[in-house]
Every structure is written in structure tokens, then in C-alpha cells.
Amino acid sequence: EAAAEREVNPNPNPNPNSDPNPHPNPNPNQDRAMLAWLRSRPWSDKAPAGWLDAAPNDEDEALGELLATGLPFLAVADWMQPGTVDWAAVHSEAHARQLSEEERGDNCAAALEAMKALGFKDAASIIKPSDLAAGKVKSRARGLLWLLMRQVRVWASVRVS
């Protein structure tokens, strides 16, 4: 019976909060595009200096590592709605890669709260801050970033018209 189940579902995922895509980096070109978008504009002027430097040199892991700090979500959210983020409560070392998992978890919890404040209640509720900080939900984290990218584009087009 278990063998038959493995044939139907070769990669069973008993944890509904874990990443549905177990591959480390399913689309490196998409990651490069998202990193380029993050680097394309000055986000919140209150964000810690050098927050984008948290991305490691390894292109295949850069976006996932950066998203696990919570800092991109916080910076973009604060740019979209100034005052959404309490920067005094955000953990930011000189290199965000040096943040402990607990500090990352705090940042990710604040990021998901900021996403909810921006109206992404459903999207932010599907991820646990601890899973985001541990890098366990990379494809969902990319999905949240994509939602922010889309919303920024919508807001920019509304401001222009």
C-alpha cells in the first residue's frame, strides 16, 4: 500500500506549511530578475543601509537567503505605505546573513504583518514566520515577492494616470 502511494506521489509532503517545490532553485533566471527588481530603485529610506548586501555571491541561493531575512518585504512594504514598518524593532546586522534564525524570525513576522497591513491578508497567512526565516518555503516567499512586484507596478500606473 505504501509503495503504491509512493508511485502516485513520489514526493509526499506531509507538512502543509513546507515548500511544495522541494527543488533548491527551480528558476534561476526568475531569481535574477527579482533581485534586479529589488536593486532597481531606492526603497524605504528608513531601511538599514546595505540590506540588499545580504544576498550571497552564489546566484542560485541569493534570493532565497535575502528573502529569509525579511528585509526585502519590509523595505518594499514601507516604501508602498510609509510608516508600516517599525524600523526600531527590525534586526539588521552589517551583513544580514549574520542574523540568527530567531532574529530572522522576528523580521519575517514583522514583514508578514506589514503585508497584511497592505491588504495581503490571505497571502501572508499561508506562511509561518519561522518557516520563512529558515528558508523552508522558498517558492512561497518568491510568490509573496511577486505579489509585491505586481502591486508596485499597479500603484505606479495609477499614479501616472
Side-chain angles (χ1 to χ4, degrees):
E1 190 173 292
E5 184 178 324
R6 275 195 297 273
E7 286 178 23
V8 173
N9 186 2
N11 190 6
N13 191 354
N15 182 354
N17 290 318
S18 67
D19 203 329
N21 186 349
H23 303 292
N25 190 351
N27 192 339
N29 290 334
Q30 183 181 41
D31 282 10
R32 282 192 281 283
M34 288 180 161
L35 279 169
W37 179 80
L38 284 169
R39 292 178 174 131
S40 71
R41 56 184 71 176
W43 297 105
S44 173
D45 58 350
K46 295 180 181 178
W51 66 269
L52 270 169
D53 298 335
N57 292 331
D58 180 5
E59 285 277 331
D60 287 342
E61 292 299 319
L63 185 65
E65 281 292 314
L66 186 60
L67 295 179
T69 68
L71 294 172
F73 302 113
L74 292 166
V76 176
D78 200 53
W79 177 82
M80 291 174 74
Q81 187 174 329
T84 301
V85 176
D86 176 10
W87 288 105
V90 173
H91 301 282
S92 60
E93 300 294 325
H95 292 290
R97 283 181 277 175
Q98 297 171 351
L99 292 174
S100 71
E101 195 165 320
E102 183 178 336
E103 291 170 326
R104 287 176 174 224
D106 291 345
N107 285 356
C108 290
L112 294 173
E113 285 302 315
M115 297 272 303
K116 288 178 185 176
L118 292 173
F120 298 102
K121 291 174 178 56
D122 293 336
S125 68
I126 64 168
I127 296 178
K128 289 183 182 177
S130 58
D131 287 343
L132 181 58
K136 294 180 182 176
V137 289
K138 291 179 182 178
S139 63
R140 289 182 182 178
R142 286 176 180 89
L144 286 179
L145 182 60
W146 181 85
L147 287 172
L148 284 175
M149 292 170 71
R150 184 183 70 173
Q151 194 63 37
V152 166
R153 185 176 178 122
V154 167
W155 285 10
S157 67
V158 169
R159 289 179 186 165
V160 170
S161 35

